[in-house]
Amino acid sequence: MTSLLEVGVHVPPTRLEVGAIRRELDLDPRLIRAFERISGLERVRLAPGENAVDLMVAAASQLRMLPGREQDVRYVLQARTVETAAPYAVVNPLQETCRALGLDNAV
């Protein structure tokens, strides 16, 4: 039987107003207002200099039951909020995270 025992969470420390990164992301001011009014998205969390693997390893570091039980982990789930942009068959951030955590039996 497979069961979910723990969930790790990592929230990057840098918090910015969406409007403050508008120029960097080349977003239309009307889109920003829509984010704020319709979605309630006023602020975002950023982790400058970190990639998807760094963020997922940081989340996994919150798992108190993991140390010493790495061989028991069969499945690793990636949150949809974590951006994955990598060339196909070259780098898979989820697989890299499993390697970094010693989760050799996980798929």
Side-chain angles (χ1 to χ4, degrees), residues 6-94:
E6 265 188 301
V7 175
V9 177
H10 172 67
V11 179
T14 304
R15 185 172 118 172
L16 291 175
E17 301 287 326
V18 172
I21 58 172
R22 180 186 70 77
R23 286 190 192 97
E24 182 181 331
L25 299 176
D26 195 29
L27 296 175
D28 187 294
R30 292 173 293 194
L31 183 59
I32 297 296
R33 283 192 297 278
F35 281 150
E36 293 173 349
R37 248 183 297 167
I38 297 168
S39 305
L41 180 63
E42 296 176 358
R43 290 178 271 316
V44 294
R45 297 285 184 147
L46 300 174
E50 293 187 30
N51 59 32
V53 175
D54 298 331
L55 296 173
M56 288 188 280
V57 168
S61 71
Q62 303 301 313
L63 301 174
R64 292 186 179 104
M65 296 174 67
L66 180 60
R69 299 190 66 197
E70 292 84 356
Q71 73 284 352
D72 297 332
V73 176
R74 292 177 50 202
Y75 303 104
V76 176
L77 305 176
Q78 176 183 355
R80 290 292 217 169
T81 57
V82 176
E83 176 186 331
T84 302
Y88 178 75
V90 175
V91 176
N92 180 324
L94 191 55

